[in-house]
Amino acid sequence: MQYQIIKREDFIVHRWSGGTTSEIFLFPPSSCWEKKDFQIRISSADCRVDGAPYSDFIGFTRHILPLKGSMHMFHEGHHEVLLNPFDIDIFDGSWNTHHIGKAVDFNLLCSENWTGRLKPLLQNESIKIEKSGIIGFYAVEDAEIRSGDFSVEVPAGDFIVFNDINEATVFSIKAALHG
C-alpha cells in the first residue's frame, strides 16, 4: 500500500484576512491554490479575526470543521450554523461566508469534478472505503492507521495520504500511541 506522510513542518503557511492557513495537501501536486487549478485542497486555518470574509472558491464545495474552539458560520442568503469541535458544515465555495469565534479549523475543498467528505474517526473506529481514489487521515493526536496487515504510525499534527485506493479497503484507527 503506497502512502505519503506530510509532516506539519512541511505544511505551506499562507496569510488570509482572518489569520493563517496551513496548506496540508494539494492535488494534483503541480497545481497552485492561488490559480485555483487544483482538484482537492486540504488545509487548516487558525481563525483569529471575527467576521473576516472567506476566500471565494467558485466551482468548489467546501467542507469545514473546527478542531479547537467553536465557529458560528454565516453564509449570506443561505444558512448559519454553530459548529463545535468536529461538527461539519458543507457549503458552496462561492458563497459569501464569514464566522464569529476563535478556532482552529480543518478544511476540505473539492472541485466540481470530485466528491469528498470529512469524517472524524475516534480511537478503534473503522471506515470502509468503497470507491477508488484518494484517502487521507489527519492525526489530531498520535495515531496508528491499519488496514489488513498494513500498519503505520502518524504523529499528532501530521497527515497521511493514500493515492492508490482502487478496491474496497477498511482502515482502522488506534489513537494515543504515546499516552
Side-chain angles (χ1 to χ4, degrees):
M1 187 171 291
Q2 294 181 0
Y3 66 91
Q4 175 188 7
I5 295 179
I6 303 169
K7 301 279 190 194
R8 70 180 144 215
E9 56 266 16
D10 295 329
F11 298 168
I12 299 168
V13 178
H14 304 280
R15 292 210 165 278
W16 68 289
S17 60
T20 58
T21 298
S22 296
E23 185 175 275
I24 298 169
F25 177 77
L26 204 59
F27 180 82
S30 61
S31 58
C32 175
W33 81 270
E34 293 97 334
K35 293 179 184 175
K36 298 180 184 168
D37 62 350
F38 59 88
Q39 299 297 306
I40 300 169
R41 182 179 189 235
I42 297 173
S43 62
S44 177
D46 187 5
C47 306
R48 295 287 152 219
V49 179
D50 286 341
Y54 280 49
S55 300
D56 180 5
F57 281 102
I58 191 167
F60 292 86
T61 300
R62 192 171 208 159
H63 307 244
I64 191 167
L65 69 82
L67 296 170
K68 297 177 187 173
S70 295
M71 306 169 72
H72 191 160
M73 303 291 295
F74 298 91
H75 307 292
E76 188 176 306
H78 299 282
H79 71 273
E80 66 180 78
V81 63
L82 176 63
L83 299 176
N84 292 309
F86 304 105
D87 290 340
I88 299 169
D89 188 20
I90 301 171
F91 56 98
D92 189 300
S94 68
W95 290 356
N96 184 4
T97 298
H98 69 277
H99 80 274
I100 305 285
K102 309 261 187 292
V104 174
D105 71 17
F106 190 81
N107 297 274
L108 167 64
L109 280 165
C110 295
S111 78
E112 54 198 16
N113 303 320
W114 284 75
T115 301
R117 98 180 147 131
L118 289 181
K119 179 176 179 10
L121 296 177
L122 305 174
Q123 179 167 317
N124 299 323
E125 189 172 356
S126 296
I127 185 169
K128 184 174 185 177
I129 306 303
E130 298 285 346
K131 296 183 178 182
S132 62
I134 298 169
I135 184 168
F137 296 93
Y138 177 77
V140 175
E141 58 185 53
D142 291 351
E144 181 180 8
I145 310 294
R146 298 178 182 169
S147 181
D149 293 337
F150 172 83
S151 174
V152 63
E153 292 184 10
V154 183
D158 289 355
F159 182 77
I160 185 169
V161 62
F162 299 87
N163 288 315
D164 64 342
I165 303 302
N166 56 17
E167 60 186 40
T169 306
V170 175
F171 289 94
S172 62
I173 307 298
K174 180 179 179 188
L177 292 174
H178 307 293

